[in-house]
Amino acid sequence: MTTSRSLPPLIVLLGPTAVGKTELSLRLCQRFDGEIVNADSRQIYREMAIGTAKPTPEEQARAPHHLVDLRNPDEPLTLAEYQQLAYQAIDQIHARGHLPFLVGGTALYLRAVTQGLRIPEAPPHPQLRAELEAVLAREGREALYARLQTLDPATAAVIDGKNPRRVLRALEIRLITGRPKVEQEGMEPPPYRILHIGLTRPRHILHQRADRRVEEMIRQGLVEETRRLLEAGYDPALPAMTSLGYREIIAYLRGEMSLEEAMARMKVETHRFIRHQYTWFRKMPDVHWFDLEQEVESQIVALIEAFLAPGEGAS
Protein backbone atom coordinates (compact mmCIF):
# COMPACT_ATOMS: atom_id res chain seq x y z
CA MET A 1 0.00 0.00 0.00
CA THR A 2 1.53 3.31 -1.03
CA THR A 3 1.40 6.05 1.59
CA SER A 4 1.46 9.83 1.34
CA ARG A 5 4.94 11.33 1.04
CA SER A 6 3.78 14.28 3.10
CA LEU A 7 3.58 12.16 6.24
CA PRO A 8 6.68 11.76 8.44
CA PRO A 9 8.27 8.30 8.41
CA LEU A 10 8.27 5.66 11.14
CA ILE A 11 10.32 2.46 10.95
CA VAL A 12 8.93 -0.46 12.93
CA LEU A 13 11.33 -3.23 13.87
CA LEU A 14 9.47 -6.17 15.35
CA GLY A 15 10.21 -9.79 16.13
CA PRO A 16 10.12 -12.43 18.85
CA THR A 17 12.25 -12.45 21.96
CA ALA A 18 15.94 -13.33 21.43
CA VAL A 19 15.78 -12.84 17.65
CA GLY A 20 18.35 -10.02 17.65
CA LYS A 21 16.31 -6.80 17.52
CA THR A 22 18.55 -4.79 19.83
CA GLU A 23 21.85 -5.10 17.98
CA LEU A 24 20.34 -4.58 14.53
CA SER A 25 18.29 -1.59 15.69
CA LEU A 26 21.44 0.05 17.07
CA ARG A 27 23.33 -0.39 13.80
CA LEU A 28 20.38 0.93 11.80
CA CYS A 29 20.01 3.95 14.08
CA GLN A 30 23.69 4.76 13.68
CA ARG A 31 23.36 4.50 9.90
CA PHE A 32 20.13 6.50 9.57
CA ASP A 33 20.54 8.98 12.45
CA GLY A 34 17.74 7.24 14.29
CA GLU A 35 16.31 7.11 17.80
CA ILE A 36 14.63 4.10 19.40
CA VAL A 37 11.15 4.08 20.90
CA ASN A 38 10.73 1.01 23.10
CA ALA A 39 7.80 -1.32 22.34
CA ASP A 40 8.52 -3.93 25.02
CA SER A 41 5.95 -3.93 27.82
CA ARG A 42 8.44 -5.08 30.47
CA GLN A 43 11.31 -2.73 29.70
CA ILE A 44 9.16 0.16 30.93
CA TYR A 45 9.96 -0.93 34.52
CA ARG A 46 12.87 0.40 36.53
CA GLU A 47 15.07 -1.98 38.53
CA MET A 48 14.25 -4.86 36.16
CA ALA A 49 17.14 -4.89 33.73
CA ILE A 50 18.34 -8.48 33.59
CA GLY A 51 15.03 -10.31 33.47
CA THR A 52 13.66 -8.02 30.75
CA ALA A 53 16.83 -8.16 28.60
CA LYS A 54 16.83 -4.36 28.69
CA PRO A 55 19.47 -2.69 26.52
CA THR A 56 22.58 -2.12 28.62
CA PRO A 57 23.81 1.40 29.45
CA GLU A 58 26.50 0.89 26.80
CA GLU A 59 23.89 -0.08 24.21
CA GLN A 60 21.65 2.82 25.17
CA ALA A 61 24.62 5.15 24.73
CA ARG A 62 24.90 4.08 21.07
CA ALA A 63 21.48 5.55 20.19
CA PRO A 64 18.90 7.56 22.11
CA HIS A 65 16.26 5.34 23.74
CA HIS A 66 12.76 6.40 24.76
CA LEU A 67 10.07 4.79 26.96
CA VAL A 68 12.53 2.71 28.95
CA ASP A 69 12.45 2.87 32.78
CA LEU A 70 9.15 4.75 32.85
CA ARG A 71 7.61 3.20 35.97
CA ASN A 72 8.50 1.44 39.20
CA PRO A 73 7.41 -2.22 39.24
CA ASP A 74 4.32 -1.37 41.30
CA GLU A 75 3.23 1.53 39.09
CA PRO A 76 0.88 0.57 36.25
CA LEU A 77 1.08 1.97 32.75
CA THR A 78 -2.13 1.69 30.75
CA LEU A 79 -2.07 0.93 27.05
CA ALA A 80 -3.60 4.34 26.39
CA GLU A 81 -0.81 6.02 28.36
CA TYR A 82 1.82 4.06 26.47
CA GLN A 83 0.24 5.01 23.15
CA GLN A 84 0.22 8.70 24.02
CA LEU A 85 3.81 8.64 25.28
CA ALA A 86 4.93 6.80 22.13
CA TYR A 87 3.27 9.37 19.87
CA GLN A 88 4.91 12.18 21.83
CA ALA A 89 8.34 10.54 21.57
CA ILE A 90 7.95 9.92 17.82
CA ASP A 91 6.84 13.50 17.21
CA GLN A 92 9.79 14.86 19.23
CA ILE A 93 12.22 12.69 17.24
CA HIS A 94 10.79 14.07 14.01
CA ALA A 95 11.10 17.61 15.39
CA ARG A 96 14.82 16.98 15.92
CA GLY A 97 15.14 15.88 12.30
CA HIS A 98 15.89 12.28 13.25
CA LEU A 99 14.31 8.98 12.20
CA PRO A 100 12.17 7.14 14.78
CA PHE A 101 12.50 3.37 15.12
CA LEU A 102 9.71 1.65 17.06
CA VAL A 103 11.43 -1.50 18.33
CA GLY A 104 9.99 -4.39 20.33
CA GLY A 105 8.07 -7.60 20.57
CA THR A 106 4.92 -6.61 22.44
CA ALA A 107 2.29 -6.87 19.73
CA LEU A 108 -0.33 -4.84 21.59
CA TYR A 109 2.10 -1.95 22.04
CA LEU A 110 3.06 -2.14 18.37
CA ARG A 111 -0.57 -2.23 17.23
CA ALA A 112 -1.57 0.61 19.56
CA VAL A 113 0.97 2.86 17.84
CA THR A 114 0.92 1.70 14.23
CA GLN A 115 -2.81 1.03 13.88
CA GLY A 116 -3.96 3.83 16.17
CA LEU A 117 -6.13 1.62 18.38
CA ARG A 118 -8.86 3.58 20.10
CA ILE A 119 -8.49 2.46 23.68
CA PRO A 120 -11.41 2.78 26.12
CA GLU A 121 -10.53 5.13 28.93
CA ALA A 122 -12.05 4.31 32.31
CA PRO A 123 -11.07 6.66 35.16
CA PRO A 124 -9.28 4.95 38.06
CA HIS A 125 -11.69 3.42 40.57
CA PRO A 126 -9.58 1.78 43.29
CA GLN A 127 -12.55 0.44 45.24
CA LEU A 128 -14.07 -1.28 42.20
CA ARG A 129 -10.67 -2.67 41.18
CA ALA A 130 -10.18 -4.04 44.71
CA GLU A 131 -13.62 -5.64 44.65
CA LEU A 132 -13.00 -7.30 41.28
CA GLU A 133 -9.54 -8.47 42.39
CA ALA A 134 -11.14 -10.00 45.48
CA VAL A 135 -13.69 -11.87 43.37
CA LEU A 136 -10.87 -13.10 41.13
CA ALA A 137 -8.86 -14.33 44.11
CA ARG A 138 -11.85 -15.88 45.87
CA GLU A 139 -13.92 -17.34 43.03
CA GLY A 140 -11.52 -17.48 40.10
CA ARG A 141 -11.56 -16.25 36.52
CA GLU A 142 -14.70 -18.20 35.62
CA ALA A 143 -16.81 -16.15 38.04
CA LEU A 144 -15.57 -12.88 36.56
CA TYR A 145 -16.11 -14.13 33.02
CA ALA A 146 -19.66 -15.25 33.84
CA ARG A 147 -20.39 -11.77 35.16
CA LEU A 148 -18.94 -10.21 32.02
CA GLN A 149 -21.09 -12.48 29.86
CA THR A 150 -24.15 -11.16 31.70
CA LEU A 151 -23.23 -7.46 31.70
CA ASP A 152 -21.37 -7.19 28.38
CA PRO A 153 -22.01 -10.24 26.18
CA ALA A 154 -20.64 -8.51 23.06
CA THR A 155 -17.22 -8.00 24.63
CA ALA A 156 -17.27 -11.40 26.31
CA ALA A 157 -17.75 -13.00 22.90
CA VAL A 158 -14.58 -11.54 21.42
CA ILE A 159 -11.98 -11.30 24.21
CA ASP A 160 -9.76 -14.07 25.54
CA GLY A 161 -11.98 -15.36 28.34
CA LYS A 162 -9.09 -17.40 29.74
CA ASN A 163 -7.02 -14.28 30.43
CA PRO A 164 -8.11 -13.01 33.86
CA ARG A 165 -6.55 -9.56 33.33
CA ARG A 166 -8.47 -9.01 30.08
CA VAL A 167 -11.72 -10.17 31.71
CA LEU A 168 -11.20 -7.95 34.75
CA ARG A 169 -10.40 -4.91 32.62
CA ALA A 170 -13.44 -5.43 30.38
CA LEU A 171 -15.68 -5.64 33.43
CA GLU A 172 -14.07 -2.54 34.89
CA ILE A 173 -14.69 -0.55 31.70
CA ARG A 174 -18.31 -1.68 31.51
CA LEU A 175 -19.03 -0.86 35.16
CA ILE A 176 -17.26 2.52 35.16
CA THR A 177 -18.34 3.89 31.78
CA GLY A 178 -21.69 2.14 31.46
CA ARG A 179 -20.80 1.15 27.89
CA PRO A 180 -19.51 -2.10 26.41
CA LYS A 181 -15.78 -2.17 25.83
CA VAL A 182 -16.14 -3.18 22.17
CA GLU A 183 -18.36 -0.16 21.48
CA GLN A 184 -15.52 2.13 22.51
CA GLU A 185 -12.87 0.48 20.41
CA GLY A 186 -11.75 0.90 16.83
CA MET A 187 -8.76 2.29 14.95
CA GLU A 188 -7.60 5.72 13.88
CA PRO A 189 -4.38 5.40 11.87
CA PRO A 190 -1.64 7.73 13.12
CA PRO A 191 -0.21 10.54 10.97
CA TYR A 192 2.88 8.62 9.88
CA ARG A 193 3.88 6.56 6.87
CA ILE A 194 5.07 3.31 8.31
CA LEU A 195 7.54 0.65 7.21
CA HIS A 196 7.15 -2.65 9.08
CA ILE A 197 10.28 -4.81 9.24
CA GLY A 198 9.89 -8.23 10.84
CA LEU A 199 12.89 -10.19 12.09
CA THR A 200 12.82 -13.96 12.37
CA ARG A 201 15.00 -17.05 12.53
CA PRO A 202 14.25 -20.77 12.14
CA ARG A 203 12.30 -21.82 15.21
CA HIS A 204 14.86 -24.31 16.55
CA ILE A 205 17.61 -21.71 16.33
CA LEU A 206 15.41 -19.13 18.02
CA HIS A 207 14.76 -21.59 20.86
CA GLN A 208 18.49 -22.22 21.21
CA ARG A 209 19.16 -18.47 21.40
CA ALA A 210 16.39 -18.06 23.97
CA ASP A 211 17.83 -20.90 26.06
CA ARG A 212 21.27 -19.29 26.01
CA ARG A 213 19.68 -16.00 27.03
CA VAL A 214 18.07 -17.67 30.07
CA GLU A 215 21.45 -19.12 31.09
CA GLU A 216 23.11 -15.73 30.59
CA MET A 217 20.45 -14.01 32.73
CA ILE A 218 21.28 -16.36 35.58
CA ARG A 219 25.01 -15.68 35.16
CA GLN A 220 24.35 -11.93 35.07
CA GLY A 221 22.50 -12.08 38.39
CA LEU A 222 18.77 -12.56 37.79
CA VAL A 223 18.43 -14.32 41.15
CA GLU A 224 20.01 -11.35 42.94
CA GLU A 225 17.93 -8.86 40.93
CA THR A 226 14.73 -10.69 41.87
CA ARG A 227 15.77 -10.91 45.52
CA ARG A 228 16.43 -7.16 45.60
CA LEU A 229 12.97 -6.47 44.18
CA LEU A 230 11.35 -8.63 46.86
CA GLU A 231 13.45 -7.05 49.61
CA ALA A 232 12.38 -3.62 48.31
CA GLY A 233 8.82 -4.64 49.15
CA TYR A 234 7.41 -5.31 45.70
CA ASP A 235 4.50 -7.73 45.92
CA PRO A 236 5.18 -11.03 44.11
CA ALA A 237 1.60 -10.81 42.77
CA LEU A 238 2.27 -7.58 40.83
CA PRO A 239 1.96 -7.99 37.05
CA ALA A 240 5.61 -6.98 36.66
CA MET A 241 6.73 -9.57 39.21
CA THR A 242 4.64 -12.38 37.73
CA SER A 243 6.13 -11.89 34.27
CA LEU A 244 8.31 -14.50 32.59
CA GLY A 245 11.56 -15.13 34.43
CA TYR A 246 10.73 -13.36 37.65
CA ARG A 247 7.91 -15.71 38.58
CA GLU A 248 10.15 -18.76 38.17
CA ILE A 249 12.96 -17.22 40.22
CA ILE A 250 10.48 -16.20 42.93
CA ALA A 251 9.37 -19.84 43.07
CA TYR A 252 13.01 -20.85 43.46
CA LEU A 253 13.59 -18.29 46.23
CA ARG A 254 10.52 -19.64 48.02
CA GLY A 255 12.01 -23.13 47.90
CA GLU A 256 9.29 -24.41 45.56
CA MET A 257 11.79 -25.64 42.96
CA SER A 258 15.52 -25.88 42.42
CA LEU A 259 17.42 -23.32 40.37
CA GLU A 260 17.86 -25.92 37.62
CA GLU A 261 14.10 -26.53 37.59
CA ALA A 262 13.44 -22.78 37.50
CA MET A 263 15.77 -22.39 34.51
CA ALA A 264 14.13 -25.32 32.71
CA ARG A 265 10.72 -23.78 33.34
CA MET A 266 11.91 -20.41 32.04
CA LYS A 267 13.11 -22.04 28.83
CA VAL A 268 9.82 -23.87 28.26
CA GLU A 269 7.78 -20.75 28.98
CA THR A 270 9.99 -18.64 26.71
CA HIS A 271 9.41 -21.09 23.85
CA ARG A 272 5.67 -20.81 24.51
CA PHE A 273 5.91 -17.03 24.59
CA ILE A 274 7.69 -17.01 21.22
CA ARG A 275 4.85 -19.05 19.70
CA HIS A 276 2.37 -16.55 21.17
CA GLN A 277 4.31 -13.63 19.69
CA TYR A 278 4.26 -15.16 16.21
CA THR A 279 0.50 -15.71 16.50
CA TRP A 280 0.05 -11.97 17.00
CA PHE A 281 2.65 -10.93 14.44
CA ARG A 282 0.83 -12.92 11.76
CA LYS A 283 -2.19 -10.68 12.30
CA MET A 284 -0.19 -7.53 11.55
CA PRO A 285 -0.45 -6.38 7.93
CA ASP A 286 2.29 -5.35 5.52
CA VAL A 287 5.28 -6.75 7.40
CA HIS A 288 8.48 -7.31 5.39
CA TRP A 289 10.06 -10.40 6.99
CA PHE A 290 13.79 -11.11 7.09
CA ASP A 291 15.53 -14.25 8.37
CA LEU A 292 18.54 -13.10 10.40
CA GLU A 293 20.26 -16.43 9.80
CA GLN A 294 20.78 -15.12 6.27
CA GLU A 295 22.87 -12.14 5.15
CA VAL A 296 19.95 -9.73 5.03
CA GLU A 297 21.17 -6.53 6.65
CA SER A 298 22.07 -4.97 3.31
CA GLN A 299 18.56 -5.81 2.06
CA ILE A 300 17.01 -4.17 5.11
CA VAL A 301 19.15 -1.07 4.60
CA ALA A 302 18.15 -0.91 0.92
CA LEU A 303 14.46 -1.25 1.87
CA ILE A 304 14.72 1.63 4.34
CA GLU A 305 16.62 3.78 1.85
CA ALA A 306 13.94 3.16 -0.78
CA PHE A 307 11.22 3.95 1.75
CA LEU A 308 12.88 7.26 2.66
CA ALA A 309 13.74 8.25 -0.91
CA PRO A 310 11.65 11.05 -2.45
CA GLY A 311 8.78 9.77 -4.54
CA GLU A 312 8.79 6.29 -3.04
CA GLY A 313 6.40 4.68 -0.59
CA ALA A 314 5.99 1.53 1.45
CA SER A 315 4.07 0.20 4.39
Side-chain angles (χ1 to χ4, degrees):
M1 181 175 66
T2 302
T3 52
S4 171
R5 299 302 301 171
S6 64
L7 295 177
L10 171 63
I11 309 297
V12 178
L13 206 63
L14 62 91
T17 190
V19 75
K21 296 184 294 294
T22 297
E23 180 57 35
L24 179 59
S25 68
L26 292 173
R27 291 199 299 270
L28 292 174
C29 279
Q30 290 172 321
R31 185 181 185 100
F32 290 100
D33 200 11
E35 301 186 27
I36 292 172
V37 179
N38 168 51
D40 184 303
S41 63
R42 301 197 310 157
Q43 292 180 3
I44 66 167
Y45 294 116
R46 305 182 187 105
E47 303 180 61
M48 303 179 77
I50 298 172
T52 65
K54 192 176 297 178
T56 65
E58 293 76 18
E59 288 171 331
Q60 293 190 44
R62 291 170 58 189
H65 283 66
H66 306 274
L67 309 194
V68 174
D69 294 333
L70 288 175
R71 294 286 193 273
N72 291 328
D74 60 350
E75 297 173 339
L77 180 75
T78 68
L79 184 61
E81 288 173 320
Y82 169 80
Q83 182 189 57
Q84 188 60 37
L85 289 169
Y87 286 154
Q88 290 175 2
I90 291 167
D91 292 344
Q92 289 165 2
I93 293 168
H94 284 141
R96 288 189 286 272
H98 295 169
L99 180 63
F101 284 79
L102 182 68
V103 181
T106 300
L108 198 54
Y109 274 22
L110 293 164
R111 292 180 61 227
V113 175
T114 63
Q115 298 176 9
L117 299 182
R118 285 202 299 267
I119 303 159
E121 275 293 341
H125 196 307
Q127 181 179 348
L128 175 60
R129 170 58 68 97
E131 291 172 359
L132 294 175
E133 292 280 7
V135 172
L136 178 61
R138 185 176 63 249
E139 303 177 34
R141 170 193 55 80
E142 294 82 0
L144 278 186
Y145 188 57
R147 187 174 180 189
L148 181 66
Q149 288 175 309
T150 299
L151 292 176
D152 186 356
T155 299
V158 297
I159 70 166
D160 179 4
K162 295 181 180 180
N163 185 321
R165 294 290 127 196
R166 298 278 176 85
V167 174
L168 189 151
R169 181 59 179 158
L171 256 179
E172 194 173 42
I173 290 169
R174 176 65 177 82
L175 291 169
I176 291 174
T177 68
R179 295 172 56 208
K181 178 174 177 285
V182 291
E183 280 187 9
Q184 304 178 53
E185 295 176 325
M187 292 186 292
E188 184 176 351
Y192 314 122
R193 54 191 180 91
I194 302 173
L195 175 65
H196 294 83
I197 298 173
L199 306 178
T200 188
R201 295 179 191 264
R203 194 66 59 93
H204 71 283
I205 293 177
L206 197 53
H207 287 178
Q208 291 170 1
R209 289 172 59 89
D211 291 349
R212 289 197 297 270
R213 173 179 283 186
V214 168
E215 294 162 5
E216 183 61 25
M217 285 177 175
I218 298 300
R219 284 193 292 270
Q220 290 175 346
L222 179 58
V223 173
E224 292 74 16
E225 180 175 84
T226 306
R227 185 181 286 116
R228 284 197 303 271
L229 290 164
L230 294 172
E231 290 174 350
Y234 292 115
D235 189 335
L238 287 168
M241 298 292 285
T242 58
S243 64
L244 178 57
Y246 294 100
R247 61 176 178 249
E248 290 81 10
I249 298 303
I250 289 172
Y252 159 67
L253 292 173
R254 287 172 167 171
E256 297 170 4
M257 63 178 68
S258 68
L259 183 56
E260 291 73 20
E261 290 170 330
M263 291 174 62
R265 179 74 60 81
M266 286 173 64
K267 292 176 181 180
V268 169
E269 291 301 319
T270 303
H271 298 176
R272 180 177 290 121
F273 179 57
I274 288 169
R275 290 196 298 273
H276 178 76
Q277 287 178 299
Y278 274 117
T279 297
W280 278 104
F281 293 150
R282 282 195 290 269
K283 299 177 182 178
M284 298 182 68
D286 303 316
V287 178
H288 302 263
W289 285 99
F290 294 90
D291 181 351
L292 290 184
E293 287 299 303
Q294 310 298 322
E295 296 293 332
V296 295
E297 188 166 337
S298 61
Q299 298 174 38
I300 294 172
V301 167
L303 180 66
I304 295 174
E305 289 176 340
F307 176 74
L308 298 175
E312 298 295 330
S315 64

